[in-house]
Amino acid sequence: MEDANLETNVRVRLLLAGLSEMEEHGEGDFSLRRVAKRAQVSCAAPYRHFRDKEELIDGIFAYLLEKWDLLCREIARAFSEDHARHLTELSLAYLRFWLSNPNYRSVLLSRASARRREAFDAPLCRTAEILAHAHGMSTDDTHRLTFAVLSTVYGALLLAPQDTEEIQNTVTAAKEQITFTLNALPAL
């Protein structure tokens, strides 16, 4: 049992070291040797947990997605009856999730992560579709709503500074924009 815990601990250390490596070097210059050094394990340790660099990078995204999914479920439980509030709170949680963890944000916004990003966007897209359907919105309006929410969130991610106070100002501005967008859509 202790061996399993130790191996889980090494795996998590490798994932966290991989996050730092992604932030500092991106996917293109990602090095398993540097990850091992950051995690304070042997150079062979990453290969005991991951087949190759790509599998470790996929593992980093899976690790982050697991954390995001837990948060999404909590928000869904809290706001299951109010679709507009659910979408707003989910959007703000998305922002806080990435902004409060700068190394997460660098992974999300890396050019090579586009295909993986869809999994993180999916709860926002689904919630926008549920809201649109509940209000009888057309397919075009559903797409506009989804685009407006994602644009607001990603725009805020790109514009937000690292300062904690400014992060809260960014989240507040994003909330105002999402509220404005929801109030401007037909049938709401």
Side-chain angles (χ1 to χ4, degrees):
M1 184 67 170
E2 190 174 310
D3 287 343
N5 289 337
L6 181 60
E7 285 303 306
T8 300
N9 185 30
V10 169
R11 182 178 173 82
V12 170
R13 285 177 30 211
L14 287 166
L15 291 169
L16 295 175
L19 270 167
S20 296
E21 177 72 11
M22 288 280 292
E23 179 181 25
E24 195 171 315
H25 297 281
E27 264 187 82
D29 191 29
F30 191 90
S31 164
L32 286 176
R33 184 174 296 275
R34 285 192 302 258
V35 169
K37 185 175 180 179
R38 274 181 213 261
Q40 299 178 338
V41 296
S42 74
C43 290
Y47 295 102
R48 285 195 297 274
H49 296 274
F50 306 97
R51 188 174 54 249
D52 54 22
K53 171 175 94 167
E54 189 65 29
E55 189 172 291
L56 175 54
I57 292 170
D58 286 342
I60 292 166
F61 277 89
Y63 176 80
L64 296 177
L65 188 57
E66 183 180 317
K67 292 183 172 311
W68 172 235
D69 284 343
L70 287 171
L71 186 55
C72 289
R73 283 196 292 271
E74 288 176 25
I75 292 167
R77 275 192 296 275
F79 301 104
S80 63
E81 300 301 316
D82 184 344
H83 303 303
R85 181 84 188 275
H86 181 189
L87 182 58
T88 302
E89 295 302 323
L90 190 60
S91 299
L92 299 178
Y94 195 84
L95 273 173
R96 287 185 192 104
F97 180 79
W98 297 109
L99 292 174
S100 63
N101 300 288
N103 55 346
Y104 289 14
R105 182 171 32 161
S106 66
V107 170
L108 177 74
L109 297 176
S110 70
R111 289 181 13 202
S113 72
R115 70 177 167 84
R116 296 176 182 108
R117 193 175 304 131
E118 291 175 12
F120 291 96
D121 295 348
L124 289 171
C125 295
R126 272 194 311 273
T127 305
E129 289 169 4
I130 291 167
L131 173 64
H133 180 73
H135 290 279
M137 293 169 61
S138 70
T139 301
D140 286 345
D141 284 341
T142 301
H143 291 303
R144 283 186 198 98
L145 172 61
T146 303
F147 182 80
V149 169
L150 289 175
S151 295
T152 299
V153 169
Y154 278 99
L157 283 172
L158 290 171
L159 295 172
Q162 300 293 332
D163 177 78
T164 304
E165 184 178 318
E166 288 300 314
I167 287 173
Q168 185 53 46
N169 291 341
T170 299
V171 171
T172 299
K175 181 178 183 178
E176 291 169 0
Q177 180 59 44
I178 291 168
T179 301
F180 176 80
T181 299
L182 292 177
N183 288 334
L185 288 170
L188 289 181

